[in-house]
Amino acid sequence: MIVLGLNAYHGDSSAALVKDGRLIAAAEEERFRRIKHWSGLPTEAMKWCLADAGLKPGDVDHIAINRNPKVNNLRRALYVLRKRPSLGLIFKRLANIRRAGSFEDAVQAAFPGETMRAQVHRVEHHLAHLASAFLVSDFDQAVCLSVDGFGDFASSAWGLGQGNDIRIDGRIFFPHSLGIFYSVITQFIGFPYFGDEYKVMGLAPYGEPKYLKEMRDIVQVQGDGTFRLNLKYFRHHTDDVHYTWDNCSPEVGTLYKREPMEALLGPQREKGAALEQKHRDLARSAQAMYEEAFFAMLQTLHARYKCDNLALSGGCAMNSVANGKVYLNSPFNRMFLPAAAGDAGGAIGSAFVVARQLESGNGAPQGGKRERFVMDHAYVGPQTNDIEIKALLDSRAADIQAENCTVRRFDDEGELCKTTAAAITEGKVIGWFQGRMEWGPRALGNRSILGDPRRADMKDILNLKIKRRESFRPFAPSILREHVSEWFEQEDDVPFMMEVFQVRADKRPRIPATTHVDGSGRLQTVHKDTNPRYHRLIDTYRAMTGVPMVLNTSFNENEPVVCRPQEALDCFLRTKMDVLVLNDWVVTR
């Protein structure tokens, strides 16, 4: 049975292919179109997934999409009657629903001349989020929580996952949303673009929570563990806010009312204005407020379900700082976070909802123990073979020579890792491209830029040579799984770089490039069995230095992470990167 799962007409549009209950391919549309967070119907990702599996559109049995315009409609109608939002807002929402309703036609148009026989399934947005965590975890039972912006008129949903099933027991509906709150503060601090929330999280450790009292006026935690927004500060629920979601990088207009927000927090920071301590304090206060509301939900859910396992998803589950405190600030002691917790993950989630429902309908047992696919790595994207890389390097020989570069192919992986590790110890910047591209927003050792975590100047070197990004944003460590407890204060497996832990105090001076200003690091744990070459490289570096980790950042320059080798080579040639590794080939300046 073939199920094609889609995240369509949301940011980070994506496709995932599930065959006989196993994920065999997944990718975000942005990687093919080279437009960050691209939103629309992910036609290129769909085509790649099918081609990678050797399938044609007519081979697909079921298509699942992570939106269902038929759910929560009573809530929608009651809201319109009670609140009377602007006609522009109503018309936009209706157009959005109509577009979802014409989904089949859009899919057929993407494959002209092909016969599509697949049955289409519309999966509620938050059910898809919940499934993207629970249904690919190793839990037989877990509390499931999705915390997001909005999808299908809800911002959060929770329930219990058991076996093949997820039962949703509660939701927080529009217009109340922790995701909208965090986006509002992101805009207020002067970061206007879709997806900029991570900048606030990176800025927060430089400030103090001096505005926490004011934040508690904006977000009001309720006695039952839920929350409400003080809507006098917001306009997303009443005004015709500008949104663009179709065939582009998403755009979102101003979500807050300027006058009351400035009366509470002072003047907003204009785009491009200097960052002041006040802005750092606002970021820290917003992060503290998010955590206060988030952990109130977790405490309540644990008390309700008496289950120690947590499957966490939704766009807000990208808040790796809060994620790293789950074991410290809640009773949960095991957690699964998917590689793509945000909307992209809805492609996998919707596909698995349909796959599991069909399995159950065909007589598979519901609840209890079950044989399942467990997503223990994210390497399910495009890959390149040796012939393609050689042809690329031959075709670009003049460009490579113009940059005074040499090209060498390694037949011995050990020698390749030794050469690369030695270059890292010399302070060189490495473009590391190998195997299948990662699923999700994080570079996890297959499309990565690597550096020496011991060098205090490594952040400046990377920003000067390649990244050119804000100086307050930290770089992450990829650490051998077996060494986590020696270097970090918490012990857990973090294969998708979705948690921030405190670095042990005595280790911080040894890895200044990957230790944030507050002593933390957003780690990725590297396993020998899921990424043997990357593990071998780091272990080789460890043998040279005594440090079992390397600095890892995404292989890109103000663009989506590179997907194909030509994009990696282009990025190498136009920046000041020192070494490019393309599978077994090494290009050196």
Side-chain angles (χ1 to χ4, degrees), residues 3 63 90 126 131 135 167 185 278 338 405 439 483 494 539:
V3 182
I63 296 176
I90 294 172
H126 284 280
L135 291 183
R167 184 188 73 233
I185 301 302
K278 170 197 170 179
C405 298
W439 163 254
H483 290 278
V494 192
D539 198 41

Side-chain angles (χ1 to χ4, degrees), residues 492-544:
D492 195 22
D493 192 16
V494 192
F496 306 133
M497 200 183 282
M498 292 286 284
E499 296 177 64
V500 170
F501 290 165
Q502 287 292 306
V503 180
R504 291 191 179 276
D506 62 318
K507 302 293 189 184
R508 295 173 190 173
R510 297 184 63 185
I511 50 170
T514 55
T515 301
H516 203 17
V517 65
D518 61 349
S520 68
R522 191 187 71 201
L523 70 159
Q524 173 208 358
T525 53
V526 181
H527 293 248
K528 187 175 183 179
D529 58 339
T530 56
N531 199 335
R533 177 171 287 196
Y534 193 39
H535 187 281
R536 187 172 187 177
L537 170 65
I538 299 172
D539 198 41
T540 303
Y541 173 84
R542 179 200 59 78
M544 294 177 178

Side-chain angles (χ1 to χ4, degrees), residues 247-265:
N247 296 317
C248 64
S249 180
E251 297 176 5
V252 180
T254 303
L255 295 165
Y256 60 91
K257 296 177 180 176
R258 181 166 181 171
E259 185 175 340
M261 192 68 83
E262 288 192 329
L264 182 72
L265 301 177

Side-chain angles (χ1 to χ4, degrees), residues 136-293:
V136 298
S137 74
D138 61 350
F139 296 143
D140 287 310
Q141 178 174 286
V143 175
C144 299
L145 173 63
S146 167
V147 186
D148 203 20
F150 286 114
D152 288 333
F153 208 68
S155 74
S156 300
W158 57 85
L160 190 67
Q162 290 182 298
N164 280 337
D165 304 321
I166 299 172
R167 184 188 73 233
I168 296 181
D169 294 324
R171 297 171 178 85
I172 295 176
F173 291 100
F174 182 94
H176 305 286
S177 165
L178 279 181
I180 291 295
F181 158 71
Y182 213 93
S183 294
V184 158
I185 301 302
T186 300
Q187 292 180 344
F188 191 82
I189 295 176
F191 302 120
Y193 298 116
F194 180 88
D196 274 353
E197 288 81 4
Y198 68 96
K199 296 182 180 181
V200 174
M201 189 171 60
L203 183 63
Y206 292 91
E208 297 295 333
K210 294 180 178 179
Y211 294 89
L212 184 54
K213 178 182 177 183
E214 288 80 0
M215 295 296 169
R216 286 172 177 158
D217 188 34
I218 300 172
V219 179
Q220 298 166 357
V221 177
Q222 306 296 296
D224 62 356
T226 63
F227 61 86
R228 295 181 65 82
L229 299 181
N230 186 339
L231 294 174
K232 77 176 187 179
Y233 298 110
F234 297 84
R235 58 187 297 265
H236 66 283
H237 60 299
T238 55
D239 298 353
D240 184 11
V241 175
H242 170 71
Y243 288 97
T244 304
W245 296 103
D246 200 1
N247 296 317
C248 64
S249 180
E251 297 176 5
V252 180
T254 303
L255 295 165
Y256 60 91
K257 296 177 180 176
R258 181 166 181 171
E259 185 175 340
M261 192 68 83
E262 288 192 329
L264 182 72
L265 301 177
Q268 67 180 18
R269 174 177 171 253
E270 302 299 332
K271 180 185 171 183
L275 272 172
E276 301 172 359
Q277 187 57 41
K278 170 197 170 179
H279 306 126
R280 301 179 182 95
D281 294 338
L282 285 169
R284 178 66 176 275
S285 302
Q287 177 66 26
M289 184 67 251
Y290 171 77
E291 292 178 16
E292 191 172 292

Side-chain angles (χ1 to χ4, degrees), residues 265-507:
L265 301 177
Q268 67 180 18
R269 174 177 171 253
E270 302 299 332
K271 180 185 171 183
L275 272 172
E276 301 172 359
Q277 187 57 41
K278 170 197 170 179
H279 306 126
R280 301 179 182 95
D281 294 338
L282 285 169
R284 178 66 176 275
S285 302
Q287 177 66 26
M289 184 67 251
Y290 171 77
E291 292 178 16
E292 191 172 292
F294 174 60
F295 289 120
M297 296 178 74
L298 292 190
Q299 292 285 353
T300 300
L301 291 174
H302 189 275
R304 174 175 180 172
Y305 293 108
K306 304 294 192 297
C307 176
D308 293 338
N309 300 328
L310 174 65
L312 182 61
S313 58
C316 291
M318 297 300 297
N319 194 308
S320 52
V321 173
N323 298 343
K325 298 176 183 178
V326 165
Y327 301 144
L328 303 177
N329 294 350
S330 83
F332 292 102
N333 57 35
R334 287 193 68 208
M335 175 170 59
F336 184 87
L337 284 155
D343 285 340
I348 288 179
S350 60
F352 272 94
V353 166
V354 171
R356 298 304 184 208
Q357 287 176 348
L358 293 171
E359 288 171 8
S360 299
N362 290 330
Q366 293 192 18
K369 290 283 183 180
R370 61 184 169 87
E371 194 175 330
R372 66 159 70 197
F373 166 81
V374 175
M375 192 170 182
D376 57 359
H377 69 81
Y379 310 112
V380 292
Q383 59 186 333
T384 302
N385 61 41
D386 190 76
I387 295 173
E388 292 169 334
I389 292 175
K390 184 179 186 305
L392 171 67
L393 295 175
D394 288 345
S395 69
R396 302 291 298 277
D399 297 330
I400 292 169
Q401 188 174 16
E403 290 292 321
N404 296 315
C405 298
T406 61
V407 178
R408 177 184 174 189
R409 187 185 186 281
F410 284 78
D411 295 318
D412 185 305
E413 183 181 87
E415 286 301 312
L416 172 68
C417 289
K418 285 180 183 177
T419 299
T420 306
I424 293 173
T425 66
E426 295 166 3
K428 293 181 179 178
V429 177
I430 315 298
W432 179 258
F433 180 108
Q434 56 123 2
R436 297 189 69 130
M437 184 182 71
E438 301 91 337
W439 163 254
R442 310 294 190 214
L444 302 171
N446 283 18
R447 303 291 187 273
S448 292
I449 291 174
L450 309 178
D452 193 338
R454 303 171 303 161
R455 292 185 62 124
D457 60 348
M458 200 68 219
K459 181 190 290 189
D460 294 334
I461 290 172
L462 281 165
N463 277 331
L464 178 66
K465 290 190 173 186
I466 301 154
K467 288 292 187 174
R468 301 180 180 89
R469 67 187 197 181
E470 296 92 345
S471 61
F472 61 81
R473 290 167 54 190
F475 288 102
S478 290
I479 183 170
L480 301 177
R481 173 67 183 95
E482 55 269 30
H483 290 278
V484 170
S485 62
E486 301 168 26
W487 289 78
F488 289 90
E489 293 182 0
Q490 293 188 75
E491 162 63 33
D492 195 22
D493 192 16
V494 192
F496 306 133
M497 200 183 282
M498 292 286 284
E499 296 177 64
V500 170
F501 290 165
Q502 287 292 306
V503 180
R504 291 191 179 276
D506 62 318
K507 302 293 189 184

